[in-house]
Amino acid sequence: MNREQSLQALEDRSTRWDVLVIGGGATGLGAAVDAAARGYRTLLVEQHDFGKATSSRTTKLIHGGVRYLRQGNISLVRESLRERARLLQNAPQLTRRQSFIVPAYGVLDRAFYGVGLKLYDALSGQFSLGPSQLISREETLRELPAIQSAGLRGGVRYFDGQFDDA
């Protein structure tokens, strides 16, 4: 990337762009990369530095909507899982599988989270990133050494996606 050449190209009135993306955050960068990969002449403009604002401060998760399960919004979970699958398929160099552990303190927490995350696995279908599993108190403490141990009964491990927007 050469800033001077890029600015000259912008001043050249004969240059035609197929796609204009405004904003170099996670979404803008993803849209620009996808458009350029499809052969479109793509212009991305950003006020400051790429990933400077909100996207530089987020977890960069490409989750399949696990938080919507509790709300019972199954259609949104399915849509999120399809979007996650597309990102993982279309940009393998920018995405990765990430494991998470949900600690369980209450008597029914492990069962509640376990059943919910098995449903999440089922909704993932062929796009699953790995099966969720109940893990013991000891394994939870090994994986999350800074977690409060008092009352901990175990946990549930599940998988989602993460991307690099830089």
Side-chain angles (χ1 to χ4, degrees):
M1 290 178 45
N2 181 304
R3 181 176 169 75
E4 292 307 315
Q5 286 177 349
S6 296
L7 290 173
Q8 285 175 355
L10 285 174
E11 291 175 7
D12 181 359
R13 303 274 184 210
S14 66
T15 301
R16 300 278 183 214
W17 302 100
D18 299 315
V19 176
L20 167 64
V21 178
I22 300 172
T27 303
L29 286 169
V33 167
D34 186 60
R38 294 170 190 262
Y40 293 106
R41 289 189 42 89
T42 304
L43 174 63
L44 170 65
V45 293
E46 167 57 46
Q47 182 178 4
H48 293 287
D49 194 7
F50 297 117
K52 177 183 183 289
T54 304
S55 63
S56 68
R57 297 177 186 97
T58 68
T59 60
K60 295 161 183 55
L61 294 180
I62 49 173
H63 63 85
V66 68
R67 69 178 181 241
Y68 304 120
L69 273 180
R70 190 170 201 154
Q71 300 167 6
N73 196 338
I74 301 300
S75 63
L76 186 55
V77 174
R78 283 190 173 142
E79 180 183 340
S80 296
L81 287 165
R82 283 192 303 271
E83 289 294 322
R84 181 186 77 182
R86 283 186 199 107
L87 273 171
L88 290 163
Q89 179 181 358
N90 293 342
Q93 73 282 12
L94 300 175
T95 57
R96 67 186 178 98
R97 174 179 179 255
Q98 174 70 46
S99 84
F100 295 90
I101 296 175
V102 179
Y105 288 93
V107 175
L108 298 177
D109 283 353
R110 282 182 79 207
F112 177 77
Y113 294 129
V115 168
L117 290 167
K118 284 296 182 189
L119 174 59
Y120 190 62
D121 293 344
L123 291 170
S124 298
Q126 67 183 17
F127 304 115
S128 175
L129 299 180
S132 59
Q133 60 193 111
L134 296 175
I135 59 174
S136 68
R137 179 182 193 278
E138 293 72 27
E139 187 171 354
T140 303
L141 287 170
R142 237 186 347 270
E143 296 285 333
L144 306 171
I147 197 167
Q148 179 182 338
S149 61
L152 180 68
R153 299 188 181 274
V156 182
R157 176 181 287 119
Y158 77 100
F159 299 92
D160 246 322
Q162 191 171 39
F163 69 100
D164 177 6
D165 68 345

